[in-house]
PDB file of all heavy atoms in Angstrom:
ATOM      1  N   TYR A 130      50.144-195.331-137.565  1.00  0.00           N
ATOM      2  CA  TYR A 130      50.012-194.424-138.698  1.00  0.00           C
ATOM      3  C   TYR A 130      51.382-193.941-139.138  1.00  0.00           C
ATOM      4  O   TYR A 130      52.382-194.187-138.456  1.00  0.00           O
ATOM      5  CB  TYR A 130      49.093-193.251-138.357  1.00  0.00           C
ATOM      6  CG  TYR A 130      49.642-192.296-137.320  1.00  0.00           C
ATOM      7  CD1 TYR A 130      50.214-191.088-137.702  1.00  0.00           C
ATOM      8  CD2 TYR A 130      49.573-192.593-135.965  1.00  0.00           C
ATOM      9  CE1 TYR A 130      50.706-190.198-136.757  1.00  0.00           C
ATOM     10  CE2 TYR A 130      50.065-191.718-135.018  1.00  0.00           C
ATOM     11  CZ  TYR A 130      50.626-190.522-135.417  1.00  0.00           C
ATOM     12  OH  TYR A 130      51.109-189.644-134.468  1.00  0.00           O
ATOM     13  N   THR A 131      51.403-193.241-140.276  1.00  0.00           N
ATOM     14  CA  THR A 131      52.663-192.715-140.791  1.00  0.00           C
ATOM     15  C   THR A 131      53.000-191.437-140.044  1.00  0.00           C
ATOM     16  O   THR A 131      52.592-190.340-140.425  1.00  0.00           O
ATOM     17  CB  THR A 131      52.569-192.462-142.301  1.00  0.00           C
ATOM     18  OG1 THR A 131      52.162-193.657-142.970  1.00  0.00           O
ATOM     19  CG2 THR A 131      53.925-192.031-142.848  1.00  0.00           C
ATOM     20  N   PHE A 132      53.741-191.588-138.976  1.00  0.00           N
ATOM     21  CA  PHE A 132      54.033-190.498-138.052  1.00  0.00           C
ATOM     22  C   PHE A 132      54.600-189.267-138.751  1.00  0.00           C
ATOM     23  O   PHE A 132      54.187-188.142-138.472  1.00  0.00           O
ATOM     24  CB  PHE A 132      54.994-191.001-136.976  1.00  0.00           C
ATOM     25  CG  PHE A 132      55.398-189.970-135.974  1.00  0.00           C
ATOM     26  CD1 PHE A 132      54.580-189.669-134.899  1.00  0.00           C
ATOM     27  CD2 PHE A 132      56.606-189.301-136.094  1.00  0.00           C
ATOM     28  CE1 PHE A 132      54.946-188.725-133.960  1.00  0.00           C
ATOM     29  CE2 PHE A 132      56.993-188.353-135.162  1.00  0.00           C
ATOM     30  CZ  PHE A 132      56.163-188.066-134.093  1.00  0.00           C
ATOM     31  N   SER A 133      55.541-189.473-139.649  1.00  0.00           N
ATOM     32  CA  SER A 133      56.255-188.355-140.254  1.00  0.00           C
ATOM     33  C   SER A 133      55.366-187.454-141.100  1.00  0.00           C
ATOM     34  O   SER A 133      55.721-186.296-141.337  1.00  0.00           O
ATOM     35  CB  SER A 133      57.421-188.870-141.105  1.00  0.00           C
ATOM     36  OG  SER A 133      56.953-189.693-142.160  1.00  0.00           O
ATOM     37  N   SER A 134      54.227-187.941-141.552  1.00  0.00           N
ATOM     38  CA  SER A 134      53.344-187.167-142.413  1.00  0.00           C
ATOM     39  C   SER A 134      52.249-186.435-141.645  1.00  0.00           C
ATOM     40  O   SER A 134      51.451-185.723-142.253  1.00  0.00           O
ATOM     41  CB  SER A 134      52.707-188.067-143.470  1.00  0.00           C
ATOM     42  OG  SER A 134      51.844-189.019-142.883  1.00  0.00           O
ATOM     43  N   TYR A 135      52.206-186.566-140.333  1.00  0.00           N
ATOM     44  CA  TYR A 135      51.160-185.975-139.515  1.00  0.00           C
ATOM     45  C   TYR A 135      51.629-184.735-138.772  1.00  0.00           C
ATOM     46  O   TYR A 135      52.795-184.611-138.409  1.00  0.00           O
ATOM     47  CB  TYR A 135      50.671-186.986-138.471  1.00  0.00           C
ATOM     48  CG  TYR A 135      49.592-187.916-138.964  1.00  0.00           C
ATOM     49  CD1 TYR A 135      49.820-188.781-140.017  1.00  0.00           C
ATOM     50  CD2 TYR A 135      48.343-187.927-138.347  1.00  0.00           C
ATOM     51  CE1 TYR A 135      48.827-189.638-140.464  1.00  0.00           C
ATOM     52  CE2 TYR A 135      47.349-188.781-138.778  1.00  0.00           C
ATOM     53  CZ  TYR A 135      47.595-189.638-139.835  1.00  0.00           C
ATOM     54  OH  TYR A 135      46.612-190.496-140.261  1.00  0.00           O
ATOM     55  N   CYS A 136      50.683-183.836-138.566  1.00  0.00           N
ATOM     56  CA  CYS A 136      50.895-182.748-137.630  1.00  0.00           C
ATOM     57  C   CYS A 136      50.698-183.279-136.215  1.00  0.00           C
ATOM     58  O   CYS A 136      49.808-184.095-135.965  1.00  0.00           O
ATOM     59  CB  CYS A 136      49.919-181.610-137.880  1.00  0.00           C
ATOM     60  SG  CYS A 136      50.125-180.796-139.473  1.00  0.00           S
ATOM     61  N   MET A 137      51.516-182.802-135.298  1.00  0.00           N
ATOM     62  CA  MET A 137      51.453-183.242-133.914  1.00  0.00           C
ATOM     63  C   MET A 137      51.365-182.027-132.998  1.00  0.00           C
ATOM     64  O   MET A 137      51.972-180.994-133.282  1.00  0.00           O
ATOM     65  CB  MET A 137      52.691-184.054-133.538  1.00  0.00           C
ATOM     66  CG  MET A 137      52.945-185.279-134.402  1.00  0.00           C
ATOM     67  SD  MET A 137      51.709-186.583-134.156  1.00  0.00           S
ATOM     68  CE  MET A 137      51.991-187.004-132.430  1.00  0.00           C
ATOM     69  N   GLY A 138      50.631-182.175-131.915  1.00  0.00           N
ATOM     70  CA  GLY A 138      50.480-181.062-131.001  1.00  0.00           C
ATOM     71  C   GLY A 138      50.435-181.497-129.551  1.00  0.00           C
ATOM     72  O   GLY A 138      50.152-182.653-129.237  1.00  0.00           O
ATOM     73  N   TRP A 139      50.743-180.550-128.686  1.00  0.00           N
ATOM     74  CA  TRP A 139      50.576-180.714-127.247  1.00  0.00           C
ATOM     75  C   TRP A 139      49.510-179.742-126.768  1.00  0.00           C
ATOM     76  O   TRP A 139      49.546-178.553-127.107  1.00  0.00           O
ATOM     77  CB  TRP A 139      51.880-180.447-126.490  1.00  0.00           C
ATOM     78  CG  TRP A 139      52.909-181.521-126.629  1.00  0.00           C
ATOM     79  CD1 TRP A 139      54.000-181.517-127.435  1.00  0.00           C
ATOM     80  CD2 TRP A 139      52.949-182.755-125.909  1.00  0.00           C
ATOM     81  NE1 TRP A 139      54.722-182.668-127.276  1.00  0.00           N
ATOM     82  CE2 TRP A 139      54.100-183.451-126.344  1.00  0.00           C
ATOM     83  CE3 TRP A 139      52.136-183.341-124.942  1.00  0.00           C
ATOM     84  CZ2 TRP A 139      54.452-184.706-125.843  1.00  0.00           C
ATOM     85  CZ3 TRP A 139      52.481-184.588-124.446  1.00  0.00           C
ATOM     86  CH2 TRP A 139      53.626-185.251-124.899  1.00  0.00           C
ATOM     87  N   PHE A 140      48.592-180.251-125.969  1.00  0.00           N
ATOM     88  CA  PHE A 140      47.525-179.464-125.386  1.00  0.00           C
ATOM     89  C   PHE A 140      47.506-179.697-123.888  1.00  0.00           C
ATOM     90  O   PHE A 140      48.022-180.703-123.397  1.00  0.00           O
ATOM     91  CB  PHE A 140      46.172-179.846-126.002  1.00  0.00           C
ATOM     92  CG  PHE A 140      46.074-179.534-127.471  1.00  0.00           C
ATOM     93  CD1 PHE A 140      46.651-180.371-128.407  1.00  0.00           C
ATOM     94  CD2 PHE A 140      45.419-178.396-127.909  1.00  0.00           C
ATOM     95  CE1 PHE A 140      46.576-180.086-129.763  1.00  0.00           C
ATOM     96  CE2 PHE A 140      45.340-178.099-129.257  1.00  0.00           C
ATOM     97  CZ  PHE A 140      45.916-178.942-130.184  1.00  0.00           C
ATOM     98  N   ARG A 141      46.898-178.777-123.168  1.00  0.00           N
ATOM     99  CA  ARG A 141      46.795-178.950-121.728  1.00  0.00           C
ATOM    100  C   ARG A 141      45.447-178.446-121.232  1.00  0.00           C
ATOM    101  O   ARG A 141      44.822-177.591-121.851  1.00  0.00           O
ATOM    102  CB  ARG A 141      47.929-178.232-120.996  1.00  0.00           C
ATOM    103  CG  ARG A 141      47.903-176.714-121.117  1.00  0.00           C
ATOM    104  CD  ARG A 141      49.150-176.112-120.503  1.00  0.00           C
ATOM    105  NE  ARG A 141      49.146-174.663-120.549  1.00  0.00           N
ATOM    106  CZ  ARG A 141      50.171-173.901-120.194  1.00  0.00           C
ATOM    107  NH1 ARG A 141      51.299-174.471-119.755  1.00  0.00           N
ATOM    108  NH2 ARG A 141      50.086-172.581-120.259  1.00  0.00           N
ATOM    109  N   GLN A 142      45.031-179.003-120.115  1.00  0.00           N
ATOM    110  CA  GLN A 142      43.781-178.595-119.509  1.00  0.00           C
ATOM    111  C   GLN A 142      43.920-178.620-117.995  1.00  0.00           C
ATOM    112  O   GLN A 142      44.241-179.654-117.413  1.00  0.00           O
ATOM    113  CB  GLN A 142      42.625-179.496-119.938  1.00  0.00           C
ATOM    114  CG  GLN A 142      41.267-178.996-119.477  1.00  0.00           C
ATOM    115  CD  GLN A 142      40.128-179.704-120.165  1.00  0.00           C
ATOM    116  OE1 GLN A 142      40.280-180.828-120.645  1.00  0.00           O
ATOM    117  NE2 GLN A 142      38.975-179.057-120.220  1.00  0.00           N
ATOM    118  N   ALA A 143      43.702-177.474-117.388  1.00  0.00           N
ATOM    119  CA  ALA A 143      43.721-177.342-115.944  1.00  0.00           C
ATOM    120  C   ALA A 143      42.292-177.414-115.421  1.00  0.00           C
ATOM    121  O   ALA A 143      41.343-177.120-116.153  1.00  0.00           O
ATOM    122  CB  ALA A 143      44.369-176.023-115.538  1.00  0.00           C
ATOM    123  N   PRO A 144      42.110-177.788-114.161  1.00  0.00           N
ATOM    124  CA  PRO A 144      40.763-177.860-113.600  1.00  0.00           C
ATOM    125  C   PRO A 144      40.012-176.546-113.747  1.00  0.00           C
ATOM    126  O   PRO A 144      40.547-175.479-113.438  1.00  0.00           O
ATOM    127  CB  PRO A 144      41.018-178.183-112.126  1.00  0.00           C
ATOM    128  CG  PRO A 144      42.320-178.909-112.132  1.00  0.00           C
ATOM    129  CD  PRO A 144      43.132-178.227-113.204  1.00  0.00           C
ATOM    130  N   GLY A 145      38.786-176.621-114.249  1.00  0.00           N
ATOM    131  CA  GLY A 145      37.960-175.446-114.410  1.00  0.00           C
ATOM    132  C   GLY A 145      38.275-174.593-115.614  1.00  0.00           C
ATOM    133  O   GLY A 145      37.653-173.541-115.795  1.00  0.00           O
ATOM    134  N   LYS A 146      39.211-175.013-116.437  1.00  0.00           N
ATOM    135  CA  LYS A 146      39.585-174.237-117.608  1.00  0.00           C
ATOM    136  C   LYS A 146      39.413-175.058-118.886  1.00  0.00           C
ATOM    137  O   LYS A 146      39.371-176.280-118.847  1.00  0.00           O
ATOM    138  CB  LYS A 146      41.033-173.758-117.502  1.00  0.00           C
ATOM    139  CG  LYS A 146      41.279-172.782-116.367  1.00  0.00           C
ATOM    140  CD  LYS A 146      42.693-172.244-116.410  1.00  0.00           C
ATOM    141  CE  LYS A 146      42.926-171.218-115.318  1.00  0.00           C
ATOM    142  NZ  LYS A 146      44.307-170.671-115.367  1.00  0.00           N
ATOM    143  N   GLU A 147      39.306-174.356-120.003  1.00  0.00           N
ATOM    144  CA  GLU A 147      39.191-175.017-121.286  1.00  0.00           C
ATOM    145  C   GLU A 147      40.534-175.575-121.725  1.00  0.00           C
ATOM    146  O   GLU A 147      41.593-175.132-121.278  1.00  0.00           O
ATOM    147  CB  GLU A 147      38.664-174.043-122.341  1.00  0.00           C
ATOM    148  CG  GLU A 147      37.252-173.556-122.096  1.00  0.00           C
ATOM    149  CD  GLU A 147      36.746-172.666-123.207  1.00  0.00           C
ATOM    150  OE1 GLU A 147      37.535-172.327-124.115  1.00  0.00           O
ATOM    151  OE2 GLU A 147      35.565-172.309-123.178  1.00  0.00           O
ATOM    152  N   ARG A 148      40.471-176.550-122.608  1.00  0.00           N
ATOM    153  CA  ARG A 148      41.682-177.106-123.188  1.00  0.00           C
ATOM    154  C   ARG A 148      42.410-176.024-123.971  1.00  0.00           C
ATOM    155  O   ARG A 148      41.803-175.254-124.727  1.00  0.00           O
ATOM    156  CB  ARG A 148      41.336-178.286-124.082  1.00  0.00           C
ATOM    157  CG  ARG A 148      42.540-178.985-124.680  1.00  0.00           C
ATOM    158  CD  ARG A 148      42.094-180.185-125.493  1.00  0.00           C
ATOM    159  NE  ARG A 148      41.435-181.182-124.655  1.00  0.00           N
ATOM    160  CZ  ARG A 148      40.794-182.246-125.122  1.00  0.00           C
ATOM    161  NH1 ARG A 148      40.713-182.455-126.432  1.00  0.00           N
ATOM    162  NH2 ARG A 148      40.230-183.101-124.290  1.00  0.00           N
ATOM    163  N   GLU A 149      43.719-175.980-123.807  1.00  0.00           N
ATOM    164  CA  GLU A 149      44.548-174.950-124.405  1.00  0.00           C
ATOM    165  C   GLU A 149      45.632-175.574-125.271  1.00  0.00           C
ATOM    166  O   GLU A 149      46.328-176.496-124.839  1.00  0.00           O
ATOM    167  CB  GLU A 149      45.190-174.107-123.303  1.00  0.00           C
ATOM    168  CG  GLU A 149      46.193-173.076-123.790  1.00  0.00           C
ATOM    169  CD  GLU A 149      46.954-172.424-122.663  1.00  0.00           C
ATOM    170  OE1 GLU A 149      47.020-173.014-121.568  1.00  0.00           O
ATOM    171  OE2 GLU A 149      47.476-171.308-122.873  1.00  0.00           O
ATOM    172  N   GLY A 150      45.780-175.065-126.481  1.00  0.00           N
ATOM    173  CA  GLY A 150      46.877-175.491-127.323  1.00  0.00           C
ATOM    174  C   GLY A 150      48.187-174.928-126.801  1.00  0.00           C
ATOM    175  O   GLY A 150      48.288-173.725-126.552  1.00  0.00           O
ATOM    176  N   VAL A 151      49.183-175.766-126.649  1.00  0.00           N
ATOM    177  CA  VAL A 151      50.473-175.374-126.094  1.00  0.00           C
ATOM    178  C   VAL A 151      51.522-175.212-127.179  1.00  0.00           C
ATOM    179  O   VAL A 151      52.198-174.190-127.265  1.00  0.00           O
ATOM    180  CB  VAL A 151      50.952-176.394-125.045  1.00  0.00           C
ATOM    181  CG1 VAL A 151      52.352-176.047-124.552  1.00  0.00           C
ATOM    182  CG2 VAL A 151      49.966-176.461-123.889  1.00  0.00           C
ATOM    183  N   ALA A 152      51.670-176.234-127.997  1.00  0.00           N
ATOM    184  CA  ALA A 152      52.675-176.226-129.044  1.00  0.00           C
ATOM    185  C   ALA A 152      52.295-177.236-130.104  1.00  0.00           C
ATOM    186  O   ALA A 152      51.603-178.211-129.830  1.00  0.00           O
ATOM    187  CB  ALA A 152      54.065-176.552-128.475  1.00  0.00           C
ATOM    188  N   ALA A 153      52.756-177.009-131.325  1.00  0.00           N
ATOM    189  CA  ALA A 153      52.475-177.928-132.415  1.00  0.00           C
ATOM    190  C   ALA A 153      53.631-177.928-133.392  1.00  0.00           C
ATOM    191  O   ALA A 153      54.406-176.964-133.465  1.00  0.00           O
ATOM    192  CB  ALA A 153      51.176-177.552-133.130  1.00  0.00           C
ATOM    193  N   ILE A 154      53.720-179.006-134.149  1.00  0.00           N
ATOM    194  CA  ILE A 154      54.760-179.134-135.159  1.00  0.00           C
ATOM    195  C   ILE A 154      54.168-179.873-136.353  1.00  0.00           C
ATOM    196  O   ILE A 154      53.497-180.888-136.195  1.00  0.00           O
ATOM    197  CB  ILE A 154      55.997-179.861-134.578  1.00  0.00           C
ATOM    198  CG1 ILE A 154      57.127-179.921-135.601  1.00  0.00           C
ATOM    199  CG2 ILE A 154      55.630-181.248-134.059  1.00  0.00           C
ATOM    200  CD1 ILE A 154      58.457-180.348-134.984  1.00  0.00           C
ATOM    201  N   ASP A 155      54.392-179.344-137.549  1.00  0.00           N
ATOM    202  CA  ASP A 155      53.821-179.972-138.719  1.00  0.00           C
ATOM    203  C   ASP A 155      54.790-180.977-139.331  1.00  0.00           C
ATOM    204  O   ASP A 155      55.870-181.239-138.803  1.00  0.00           O
ATOM    205  CB  ASP A 155      53.334-178.927-139.731  1.00  0.00           C
ATOM    206  CG  ASP A 155      54.459-178.188-140.448  1.00  0.00           C
ATOM    207  OD1 ASP A 155      55.638-178.544-140.300  1.00  0.00           O
ATOM    208  OD2 ASP A 155      54.135-177.224-141.184  1.00  0.00           O
ATOM    209  N   SER A 156      54.395-181.550-140.454  1.00  0.00           N
ATOM    210  CA  SER A 156      55.191-182.600-141.075  1.00  0.00           C
ATOM    211  C   SER A 156      56.522-182.102-141.621  1.00  0.00           C
ATOM    212  O   SER A 156      57.420-182.910-141.880  1.00  0.00           O
ATOM    213  CB  SER A 156      54.388-183.278-142.185  1.00  0.00           C
ATOM    214  OG  SER A 156      53.984-182.344-143.168  1.00  0.00           O
ATOM    215  N   ASP A 157      56.647-180.788-141.801  1.00  0.00           N
ATOM    216  CA  ASP A 157      57.898-180.197-142.264  1.00  0.00           C
ATOM    217  C   ASP A 157      58.770-179.691-141.122  1.00  0.00           C
ATOM    218  O   ASP A 157      59.849-179.155-141.369  1.00  0.00           O
ATOM    219  CB  ASP A 157      57.622-179.041-143.226  1.00  0.00           C
ATOM    220  CG  ASP A 157      56.974-179.495-144.511  1.00  0.00           C
ATOM    221  OD1 ASP A 157      57.375-180.551-145.043  1.00  0.00           O
ATOM    222  OD2 ASP A 157      56.058-178.793-144.995  1.00  0.00           O
ATOM    223  N   GLY A 158      58.298-179.840-139.902  1.00  0.00           N
ATOM    224  CA  GLY A 158      59.058-179.386-138.752  1.00  0.00           C
ATOM    225  C   GLY A 158      58.799-177.952-138.348  1.00  0.00           C
ATOM    226  O   GLY A 158      59.491-177.431-137.461  1.00  0.00           O
ATOM    227  N   VAL A 159      57.820-177.296-138.967  1.00  0.00           N
ATOM    228  CA  VAL A 159      57.465-175.936-138.594  1.00  0.00           C
ATOM    229  C   VAL A 159      56.697-175.965-137.279  1.00  0.00           C
ATOM    230  O   VAL A 159      55.759-176.746-137.124  1.00  0.00           O
ATOM    231  CB  VAL A 159      56.627-175.263-139.679  1.00  0.00           C
ATOM    232  CG1 VAL A 159      56.215-173.856-139.258  1.00  0.00           C
ATOM    233  CG2 VAL A 159      57.403-175.216-140.986  1.00  0.00           C
ATOM    234  N   THR A 160      57.082-175.117-136.342  1.00  0.00           N
ATOM    235  CA  THR A 160      56.506-175.143-135.002  1.00  0.00           C
ATOM    236  C   THR A 160      55.657-173.916-134.723  1.00  0.00           C
ATOM    237  O   THR A 160      55.817-172.864-135.349  1.00  0.00           O
ATOM    238  CB  THR A 160      57.599-175.240-133.935  1.00  0.00           C
ATOM    239  OG1 THR A 160      58.479-174.119-134.050  1.00  0.00           O
ATOM    240  CG2 THR A 160      58.403-176.516-134.104  1.00  0.00           C
ATOM    241  N   SER A 161      54.763-174.064-133.757  1.00  0.00           N
ATOM    242  CA  SER A 161      53.924-172.977-133.292  1.00  0.00           C
ATOM    243  C   SER A 161      53.755-173.124-131.789  1.00  0.00           C
ATOM    244  O   SER A 161      53.636-174.241-131.284  1.00  0.00           O
ATOM    245  CB  SER A 161      52.569-173.010-133.992  1.00  0.00           C
ATOM    246  OG  SER A 161      51.766-171.918-133.602  1.00  0.00           O
TER     247      SER A 161
END
């Protein structure tokens, strides 16, 4: 896919816990 136009994120999941959003970056480089 066209990587540069997509939002990308990192998520994590520990045993017994729900998936958690860790960090994300949009197509303009804005991070969360």
Side-chain angles (χ1 to χ4, degrees):
Y130 68 101
T131 305
F132 179 82
S133 61
S134 66
Y135 274 61
C136 295
M137 303 291 297
W139 287 101
F140 296 79
R141 66 187 182 187
Q142 188 167 24
K146 295 186 177 181
E147 295 184 354
R148 183 177 297 171
E149 174 189 21
V151 175
I154 184 167
D155 72 8
S156 58
D157 294 319
V159 178
T160 59
S161 183

